Amino acid sequence: MKLKTILATTALAALMASPALAQQISVKAGVLNDRSGLYADLSGEGSVIAARMAVEDFKAADKGIKVEIVSADHQNKPDVGSTIARQWYDQDGVDLILDVPTSSVALAVSQITKEKNKIHINSGAGSSDLTGKACSPNTVHWTYDTYALAQGTGGAMVKAGGDSWFFLTADYAFGHALERDAGATVTKNGGKVVGAVRTPFPGTDFSSFLLQAQASKAKVIGLANAGSDTTNAIKQAGEFGIVAGGQKLAGLLVFISDVHALGLQAAQGLVLTESFYWDKDDQTRAWSERFAKLNGGKKPTMVHAGVYSGLLHYLKAVEAAKSKDSAAVMAKMKETPTDDPLFGKGTIRVNGRKVHDMYLYEVKKPSESKAPWDYYKQIAVLPGEQAFQPLAESECPLVKK
Amino acid sequence: MFELLGIPPQALFGQVLLGLINGSFYAILSLGLAVIFGLLNIINFSHGAQYMMGAFVAWMCLNYLGLNYWVALLLAPIIVGATGIAIERLLLKRIAHLDHLYGLLLTFGLALIIQGLFRNQYGSSGLPYAIPPQLSGGQNLGFMFLPNYRAWVIFASLVVCLGTWFLIEKTKLGSYLRAATENPTLTQAFGINVPLLVTLTYGFGVALAAFAGVLAAPIYSVNPNMGGDLIIVVFAVVVIGGMGSIMGAIVTGFSLGLIEGLTKVFYPEAAATVIFIIMVLVLLVKPAGLFGRQA
């Protein structure tokens, strides 16, 4: 009896004391992305929902970490994004910035984050320069990059016999990076690039460029663009009988929201690379169901998933470091292997590159799809070490050679 | 085989045809703008949003009511035109006596509101709309593969453009319209209901935009931003043709589509700017536009 009382009292005391004993840490996370333009569906409000889910699942409050989430629209403009990032860091006490699609904005935000010694976990942008020549000790590039996309879709299509390529490239930083990385992959795998055309960004009518691609007789037409540029190009390629004529389309960056916008009739057969698909396993399905309920029924993109898993890993690092000091947290984030329900096991390299498996998917035929958002079948898994650029090839100054 | 400026003639003909197809969109849209400007003196900046609404109404007809493309082609212009009539009666009428700048600002604001509402409801990545089965597939012309649907777009827009031209230039109703443009007070004194003409004209101009929107739905994804992207180009077309000139809108619409198409072959990077370069040149030489009357 006496022992029981003592035990109970101790337990009670410990329970009451623990929040008081643990140092209260308050973290302010800013979700900065496109909330009104062409990338609003693949990032936008969904990323804020994903960030809230991470805080909830981490049970931050029980661990003495108070998390506040703020958000803003960068309108895909580097100047707007930079202004918001500065204001957040200087005046509003924001500790980390999440998401940031559009490579030009991401590169600017990464630079400011380094100046202010805060943390940037990027989920939305593509350019592999973020962890290459423009890498920063304060940035982690989470979800995907142009190198991995090129390895995935490019490598697979060359191996399947698509050894001559013609690129339709969106005429801005991201398109150029994607064309460069994909072209290199094609050549490395023994294929050749027969031509490329730079299309104005954003564009609506791609038929002229598609006819040029058709005339080039290349086996594969690589779409080095994103969002509605990609969906319009795919739709029009169907109209001009390009796929029916034997040429293949390679959508180098296609999100599930794009497939949804195209409809399966137009998108069927498309091969694409993603790091996350909602219907991959029980865990991703369960998480995605919860997400969809909060997001008007729309399933998450890999960008949303990356915001969730990036913030979760950050919070774990804060808990382990018992501090939100950027250097300490970043060190913890890089030394601790990542593990979460959406991306599985992974690591963060010294240049800030988060490494996990990438997947090659093919878009189902309308007859194969059983439910709304049932869009992909998996063709191959690319182990993380092969999907992302090897450190030895990296131009990042943080990598000691 | 001989080559013209490094481009095989087959490819060149293909590009010419594609240019004409794009030109047909420019023509219908700039025609609507010209009709509205001619009578109301309003620079209708919500034209792009009304074009987008046309595409969305077609999508809604299919997905909510099960009505096919052909019905939508008729119904969407009527529905969107009716919203145009409401806008004219409720808003534009009140600023009709002010400088055109007020009309421009009002319609620009409306365009932003309409786009915002559609974006909130349907997201920004667009919705699928399939080509009607009767028009899928295409013809092999030898020098290019012409999708049947694109051929239909050229045909439909030519019919609509020429019909509108005929209506305004050759019929009695058209003569009333032209009279009301020249001198509304005198026309009213002859017992013609000018305010009604104005309202119907605005509705008609908006319906033309919606018609173009339905034509565009199967080619481009139905997207809240689709009008915003296009409207600036269409304004340049109208300025080049001459504000308010019906024939100017049609002819420059088709020919600028053609020039843009050819630019895509010879120097693709400039395709987005070539129209504006032409606009600058035309304004320098002929400030009222190619077909415009000197004010």
Side-chain angles (χ1 to χ4, degrees), chain A residues 35-42 171 197-200 202-209 211-212 214-215 228 231-232 235-236 238-241 257-258 260-263 265 298, chain B residues 11 14-15 18 22 119 121-131 137 144-147 149-150 217-223 225-226 229-230 261 264-265 268-269 271-272:
Chain A
R35 300 182 62 90
S36 54
L38 77 164
Y39 301 141
D41 277 3
L42 62 93
D171 197 10
V197 58
R198 298 270 161 94
T199 69
T204 41
D205 189 71
F206 292 88
S207 39
S208 286
F209 308 122
L211 281 197
Q212 291 173 48
Q214 196 172 30
S228 56
T231 51
N232 276 326
K235 220 170 162 179
Q236 291 158 16
E239 217 191 319
F240 282 88
S257 50
D258 298 328
H260 188 67
L262 275 167
Q265 189 58 41
K298 288 181 228 156
Chain B
Q15 299 295 349
L18 283 181
N22 270 348
R119 196 185 299 124
Q121 188 61 36
Y122 295 101
S124 65
S125 47
L127 301 163
Y129 193 90
I131 290 178
M144 76 174 287
F145 179 87
L146 176 68
Y149 188 79
R150 299 258 171 165
I219 303 185
Y220 310 125
S221 56
V222 177
N223 184 314
N225 301 323
M226 64 194 280
D229 297 341
L230 196 63
K264 283 178 179 166
V265 188
E269 286 88 342

Side-chain angles (χ1 to χ4, degrees), chain A residues 131-335:
Chain A
T131 54
K133 62 180 180 232
C135 73
S136 145
N138 299 68
T139 297
V140 178
H141 198 184
W142 203 273
T143 313
Y144 70 100
D145 65 23
T146 48
Y147 187 93
L149 297 174
Q151 287 292 310
T153 314
M157 296 200 76
V158 178
K159 277 176 205 142
D163 55 4
S164 57
W165 283 58
F166 187 97
F167 286 102
L168 242 65
T169 305
D171 197 10
Y172 74 114
F174 159 77
H176 298 175
L178 193 48
E179 184 193 317
R180 175 196 68 203
D181 290 345
T185 307
V186 170
T187 328
K188 200 171 75 189
N189 283 288
K192 66 172 191 284
V193 177
V194 298
V197 58
R198 298 270 161 94
T199 69
F201 168 78
T204 41
D205 189 71
F206 292 88
S207 39
S208 286
F209 308 122
L210 288 166
L211 281 197
Q212 291 173 48
Q214 196 172 30
S216 77
K217 306 259 186 328
K219 287 186 189 158
V220 179
I221 301 171
L223 303 175
N225 50 20
S228 56
D229 279 7
T230 310
T231 51
N232 276 326
I234 292 171
K235 220 170 162 179
Q236 291 158 16
E239 217 191 319
F240 282 88
I242 284 182
V243 179
Q247 281 173 308
K248 285 208 165 67
L249 283 183
L252 291 167
L253 177 53
V254 181
F255 294 97
I256 194 161
S257 50
D258 298 328
V259 173
H260 188 67
L262 275 167
L264 288 183
Q265 189 58 41
Q268 57 182 315
L270 199 64
V271 173
L272 50 90
T273 306
E274 292 231 46
S275 56
F276 169 84
Y277 174 46
W278 71 272
D279 200 15
K280 185 166 85 69
D281 55 40
D282 287 341
Q283 283 185 310
T284 58
R285 265 190 294 277
W287 185 84
S288 304
E289 292 297 335
R290 273 170 62 208
F291 176 93
K293 278 204 188 94
L294 299 165
N295 194 36
K298 288 181 228 156
K299 290 286 195 278
T301 61
M302 64 171 162
V303 172
H304 298 143
V307 169
Y308 172 88
S309 111
L311 182 55
L312 201 61
H313 191 64
Y314 170 87
L315 290 172
K316 282 180 192 162
V318 169
E319 188 193 16
K322 299 189 180 60
S323 146
K324 61 173 186 177
D325 172 69
S326 297
V329 173
M330 199 51 121
K332 279 281 175 219
M333 281 176 73
K334 285 183 182 172
E335 74 186 36

Side-chain angles (χ1 to χ4, degrees), chain B residues 28 47 50-59 61 68-86 129 152 156 160 199-216:
Chain B
I28 307 187
H47 216 65
Q50 284 151 345
Y51 158 81
M52 176 270 286
M53 282 169 80
F56 266 97
V57 171
W59 182 86
C61 281
N68 68 20
Y69 171 83
W70 302 103
V71 181
L73 201 58
L74 200 70
L75 210 56
I78 295 174
I79 293 170
V80 181
T83 66
I85 287 176
Y129 193 90
W152 156 250
V160 168
T199 306
L200 290 179
T201 306
Y202 188 76
F204 178 70
V206 171
L208 279 178
F211 182 79
V214 183
L215 282 183

